[in-house]
Amino acid sequence: MLGQSYGVRGYEKGCGQRMKVFKSEAGRQQVWETYDQLVKQWGVAVEESDLETSFGSTHILQAGSRDLPPLLLFHGVGDNSALMWVYNAKVLAEHFHLIAVDTIGGPGKSRPNERYRRQGMDHKLWFGELLDGLGLEWTYAAGVSMGCLLAQTILAAWPDRIKGMVGMAGLPAHPSLKSFSLKTMTVFLPEALFPTEKNTRKLLLKLSGANASVFTENELIMRHYGQLLRHSNKMAMAKHPQKRFTVEEAAILRERALFLVGDKDRIAYFPGCGQVLEELRIPCEILPDTGHGINHEQAERVNQAVIKFLRHYGAKIVSQ
């Protein structure tokens, strides 16, 4: 069941032999301080709690009326829920009961345990425990970057309980679409290795499209992102398997998924991917002059796409 949020002592006591998410206690304190400040920028009332699972404590942010359709939200590698949904939560919470998950291993407030460190993540088990612990008979899901992959994975693992999903800054895990993990790594270099204030800005400009100012002109986002680069353990999320679907598994994406990708996304986009998706009959929108931070850079457009797809198209699936 959901418990109370833990404090510093609980974090220190719980680390033990666990995989360290942060390089130091001082770094964790800095990240969590700006994490809390970012949550306040959501502009909507937020309830924070922790859910114990087989792989550690999963931190949950909830916003919006519980009478609205539930929507699970997954962030990407190297960030957390507070940062990921800062420009989306207020609008989406008018249409959904938001349940933003700090992925175990990521630099948020979730805490991996020894099982996670030794064995890695079993996504189906973790997702099932989240759904049951949150009391969700069914839900929608959405995610950005790695969160896009997690949203697809939970849809494939629990098709009777996930009624629709929106993936952002990522493509379908379809065998026809190759993974570019090496390319992804090189995009972050060399700035991520030397995360000075100047390099943090340079990296965000590299990852963004025409609307990079949503990052660079928000002092709190710049400070928090710089802290994540300096203080987080980059290998802590390496325990998440990168699932690739079979053709049969990927068929569900045609009916229940929408993908949003920016044409300046140096990680997810490649020329011609829109045509490939069209041939696969998987719904996709390619946003011009938009980079990897698609839901920040094009918050209004992304918010409306999520609302339209899940509340209208997805509602038909729920009623079936």
Side-chain angles (χ1 to χ4, degrees), residues 81-121:
S81 296
L83 173 61
M84 182 56 68
W85 310 111
V86 65
Y87 291 135
N88 312 108
K90 183 176 181 180
V91 172
L92 293 181
E94 296 174 1
H95 300 269
F96 304 97
H97 176 63
L98 304 183
I99 306 167
V101 178
D102 274 349
T103 303
I104 290 180
K109 292 188 177 183
S110 292
R111 294 181 299 154
N113 61 16
E114 175 62 12
R115 178 175 179 178
Y116 176 83
R117 187 183 73 84
R118 288 187 292 106
Q119 300 179 5
M121 179 64 73

Side-chain angles (χ1 to χ4, degrees), residues 184-193 203 206:
T184 299
M185 292 174 60
T186 59
V187 170
F188 289 88
L189 302 177
E191 294 84 5
L193 295 177
L203 178 58
K206 184 194 293 188

Side-chain angles (χ1 to χ4, degrees), residues 45-259:
V46 177
E47 174 189 338
E48 295 193 53
S49 54
D50 300 301
L51 178 64
E52 291 298 330
T53 72
S54 296
F55 305 95
S57 176
T58 302
H59 194 70
I60 307 287
L61 304 178
Q62 299 189 62
S65 171
R66 294 178 184 271
D67 294 329
L68 293 171
L71 173 58
L72 279 176
L73 298 172
F74 296 101
H75 61 79
V77 172
D79 54 50
N80 52 52
S81 296
L83 173 61
M84 182 56 68
W85 310 111
V86 65
Y87 291 135
N88 312 108
K90 183 176 181 180
V91 172
L92 293 181
E94 296 174 1
H95 300 269
F96 304 97
H97 176 63
L98 304 183
I99 306 167
V101 178
D102 274 349
T103 303
I104 290 180
K109 292 188 177 183
S110 292
R111 294 181 299 154
N113 61 16
E114 175 62 12
R115 178 175 179 178
Y116 176 83
R117 187 183 73 84
R118 288 187 292 106
Q119 300 179 5
M121 179 64 73
D122 178 332
H123 282 134
K124 183 170 184 177
L125 175 58
W126 182 53
F127 291 143
E129 291 176 338
L130 289 180
L131 295 172
D132 292 342
L134 292 163
L136 297 175
E137 293 184 7
W138 68 271
T139 181
Y140 299 122
V144 178
S145 192
M146 179 181 173
C148 173
L149 179 60
L150 292 179
Q152 295 177 69
T153 305
I154 191 173
L155 173 60
W158 297 98
D160 293 337
R161 301 176 73 173
I162 309 301
K163 303 302 183 181
M165 62 147 286
V166 177
M168 294 160 268
L171 296 174
H174 192 283
S176 298
L177 295 166
K178 297 180 180 180
S179 174
F180 296 94
S181 56
L182 181 59
K183 170 190 171 184
T184 299
M185 292 174 60
T186 59
V187 170
F188 289 88
L189 302 177
E191 294 84 5
L193 295 177
F194 309 98
T196 62
E197 182 176 343
K198 180 179 179 180
N199 277 346
T200 297
R201 179 183 179 86
K202 186 176 179 181
L203 178 58
L204 285 168
L205 289 172
K206 184 194 293 188
L207 293 172
S208 303
N211 199 21
S213 61
V214 295
F215 297 111
T216 59
E217 295 183 11
N218 185 315
E219 186 274 335
L220 181 57
I221 286 181
M222 291 294 294
R223 183 151 46 99
H224 186 72
Y225 190 64
Q227 291 169 348
L228 295 181
L229 290 175
R230 290 191 298 274
H231 301 308
S232 64
N233 173 10
K234 307 300 187 296
M235 298 305 295
M237 286 188 74
K239 296 291 186 176
H240 288 265
Q242 301 292 304
K243 178 179 175 60
R244 303 301 297 179
F245 287 15
T246 64
V247 172
E248 291 74 22
E249 288 176 322
I252 194 172
L253 301 175
R254 297 172 182 164
E255 299 179 353
R256 302 197 198 177
L258 170 67
F259 292 86

